Amino acid sequence: MPHKTVIIGGGAAGLGSAGGVKAADPDAEVVVYTEFEDVAYSPCGIPYVHGQEIPDFERLFLATKEQYVSVGIDVHYETTATGIDTAARTVQVAGEGAVGYDTLIVATGFEYADPGVPGGDLEGLYYVKNIRAAMEWDKVLDSVKRAVVVHATPLGVEMTTSLAHRGIETHLIDPNPWPLADMADADIMAPVEESWRELGVVAHFNTTLKGFVGQGHVSAVATSEGELPCDLVVVATHKTPNARLAAAAGLKIGSTGGIIVDERMATSVPGVYAAGDAVEVPHGLTRVPLQGLTGSHAYAQGKTAGTNAGGGTRAYKAVYVPWGTPAGKWVIGGASFGETTATALGIPYVLGQAQGISRARYYPGVKPVKVKLLAEPGSLRLIGAQMVGQEGIKERADFLAMAVKHGFTFHDLSTMENVYSPAIGALNEPIVVAATNGLEELRKAGKL
C-alpha cells in the first residue's frame, strides 16, 4: 500500500504541502480536503481586482482542477474535516466518515478576529477571503456609494486603496494613531495617509468600533467618534489562527493561538505536521513567536511539511520577515522590524536614514525612496529596516531580510556594491546612503 498523507486545507500551505509530499515520494497517496469550491488561486490578488488594477478574477487562478488530478493529488472540494483522532490516525470528514492516514498535515489557515460588537449578523459585512464570494461582492461594489473599512491591517490598507480607486467614498477606522501601527513606523506611513487624502479617503484613527447599525442590512458603523453611514463594511480585523481542530486533537498550541511546530513543521504529535496561518514560528532575532505571515511563508512552510511527511528532509528556519505592500500611491515595506516594534520590545538600536531616489535623477520616472535602517549598538549589526517609495521596495526588503539574517553591519552596507544604470538604479543606492549616514551620526556623537 502506498504511504497516505491527508491534508486539511487547500490554501498556499495545503497545496504547497501536497506538492512537497509528491516531490519526496511520487508514489504517495495524497488527499486534500477543502471547505471551499477552489484551490490554487491567489487570495492576495482579490483587493486588486476590486480596485480594477487587475481586470478579472480568472487571472488569480494558478492551476486547473485537472492539473491536480494529473499529478495524483486528490482534492475533495466543499468538504469539511470535523475532527482528528491521532491515536487511530483518522480524520473525521463530513459525508465520508473516518478517513485513515499515515501522515497528516494541518493547514487550516486563518479567521478574522471577531469584532465583538453588536450587529455582526447584519448583511453587508464583507470578510475578504474566498474568491467565489469575492466575485459576488465585486458585483455589489458597482452600486456602493460609501464604504467603511474596519481596521488598518495589511488587508485593510489594501482594501482602503482599492475602494478609493473604485470611486467609492471610503472611510477607514482604527484604534491606533496611524495605519499598520503594529508593524510600521509613523513616518513611513505618513506619505500613505497623505496620498489617501488625495484619493478622498477619510481616515479615523484613535477611533474604536462600537457596533454595526441597520435593519437587516448594515446602514452605518457606530464608533467612539459617532456613526458613519455606509452601504458596505469591509471587516479587516487581525488574522487569527484557525487551530480549533488541532487543539481538540491535543496538538500543542502556542501563545499566539497558533500550532507549535519545529523546523520540520512537525507538531507535538508524531506523524502530524502543520503549516501556514494556523501555526506560529519564531522570529530569527527575538525568538518571539509570529503568526499570520505572507502567502510565500505559508507556501514554503507547506513545502517543508509535505517533504518531511513524504519521507524527505527539509527544514524551515526562523523568519526575518521581508514584507511590502502598495498603500495609496506608495509602496511600503521592510524587514525584521522597525522602531515601533523595537521600542515596544525594549530592544536598543541606532538608526541610519536616507531620502534617496530609485533611478538616476535625470531619468524620466525617477521616484523617491526613504530607507530607515536599525542596527545593534556596538556591533552595528543590522536588526531591522523600513522603507517607503514607489519602486524597488520589494527587492530591497528581500535583500535586507537576508542582510539581517547573515549579520551584515552598517560598515558592510555602507561599502556594498550596487547596480548603477540610469533607468533602474541611482548612482547612490539609498541603502548605502542610509548606512553611511548612520555611521556619520555615530562619529559626530563620539560613539564610533
Side-chain angles (χ1 to χ4, degrees):
M1 292 289 289
H3 185 94
K4 181 177 181 181
T5 298
V6 169
I7 301 168
I8 305 175
L15 270 295
S17 296
V21 174
K22 279 295 189 180
D25 181 4
D27 296 323
E29 181 182 356
V30 179
V31 183
V32 178
Y33 291 100
T34 176
E35 62 185 291
F36 298 118
E37 304 93 330
D38 307 282
V39 296
Y41 63 87
S42 175
C44 299
I46 290 173
Y48 302 99
V49 182
H50 289 327
Q52 300 180 333
E53 291 94 343
I54 299 173
D56 55 66
F57 286 98
E58 285 66 30
R59 296 176 187 238
L60 303 187
F61 287 92
L62 309 176
T64 66
K65 294 180 178 182
E66 290 74 22
Q67 285 174 296
Y68 288 103
V69 173
S70 69
V71 297
I73 297 172
D74 181 15
V75 182
H76 294 224
Y77 301 93
E78 299 181 85
T79 305
T80 303
T82 59
I84 301 168
D85 186 335
T86 58
R89 294 208 172 201
T90 61
V91 175
Q92 196 69 31
V93 179
E96 296 185 23
V99 176
Y101 65 82
D102 295 307
T103 51
L104 172 67
I105 300 172
V106 180
T108 42
F110 76 92
E111 297 173 325
Y112 290 104
D114 184 353
V117 297
D121 57 348
L122 290 173
E123 294 181 7
L125 305 185
Y126 178 22
Y127 294 80
V128 182
K129 190 174 185 182
N130 182 338
I131 193 168
R132 296 291 168 179
M135 290 176 179
E136 297 306 311
W137 280 106
D138 198 64
K139 299 172 186 175
V140 173
L141 290 177
D142 287 336
S143 61
V144 169
K145 303 298 183 185
R146 200 174 204 232
V148 175
V149 178
V150 174
H151 293 176
T153 59
L155 174 70
V157 166
E158 292 173 340
M159 284 299 296
T160 295
T161 303
S162 293
L163 293 173
H165 284 165
R166 188 77 172 246
I168 296 169
E169 181 185 333
T170 305
H171 292 251
L172 170 66
I173 67 167
D174 192 271
N176 296 297
W178 65 83
L180 293 179
D182 290 342
M183 58 190 291
D185 296 337
D187 60 329
I188 295 297
M189 298 307 299
V192 174
E193 293 185 57
E194 177 59 31
S195 71
W196 276 341
R197 286 190 285 271
E198 293 172 5
L199 286 168
V201 171
V202 182
H204 307 262
F205 294 112
N206 297 305
T207 301
T208 305
L209 174 68
K210 295 295 185 181
F212 303 112
V213 180
Q215 297 294 322
H217 192 284
V218 68
S219 60
V221 173
T223 79
S224 57
E225 302 300 318
E227 288 192 2
L228 297 173
C230 62
D231 307 309
L232 175 139
V233 178
V234 175
V235 183
T237 49
H238 177 68
K239 294 197 303 185
T240 62
N242 179 5
R244 290 188 304 275
L245 283 180
L251 277 64
K252 287 186 178 178
I253 305 298
S255 59
T256 69
I259 304 164
I260 294 175
V261 292
D262 63 14
E263 286 189 344
R264 301 178 66 249
M265 304 309 293
T267 72
S268 58
V269 174
V272 181
Y273 299 80
D277 288 325
V279 310
E280 63 177 42
V281 294
H283 187 281
L285 290 181
T286 66
R287 310 308 293 183
V288 170
L290 303 176
Q291 175 275 329
L293 301 176
T294 68
S296 61
H297 290 94
Y299 183 76
Q301 291 169 14
K303 292 291 285 187
T304 301
T307 298
N308 292 313
T313 302
R314 188 177 177 124
Y316 186 83
K317 303 294 186 179
V319 296
Y320 295 84
V321 203
W323 64 274
T325 187
K329 71 178 183 181
W330 298 93
V331 179
I332 53 174
S336 189
F337 50 74
E339 289 189 89
T340 300
T341 300
T343 301
L345 294 176
I347 298 172
Y349 63 89
V350 294
L351 194 64
Q353 303 186 68
Q355 183 66 57
I357 52 177
S358 62
R359 310 177 184 186
R361 59 176 176 75
Y362 52 79
Y363 195 89
V366 61
K367 306 294 184 184
V369 180
K370 178 175 181 175
V371 174
K372 292 174 59 178
L373 305 176
L374 281 70
E376 184 179 68
S379 73
L380 299 185
R381 173 180 172 175
L382 188 70
I383 59 175
Q386 294 204 347
M387 297 167 287
V388 57
Q390 291 178 316
E391 57 185 14
I393 298 300
K394 182 264 187 204
E395 294 81 3
R396 289 182 176 90
D398 288 342
F399 165 73
L400 289 168
M402 290 298 288
V404 174
K405 181 175 183 178
H406 291 286
F408 288 18
T409 69
F410 272 9
H411 295 288
D412 296 321
L413 295 175
S414 72
T415 57
M416 79 178 205
E417 297 179 88
N418 63 272
V419 172
Y420 168 52
S421 176
I424 61 172
L427 179 64
N428 294 308
E429 161 56 41
I431 292 173
V432 174
V433 179
T436 302
N437 288 347
L439 292 172
E440 183 60 25
E441 289 300 315
L442 290 170
R443 288 190 187 98
K444 289 178 180 178
K447 297 180 180 179
L448 190 65

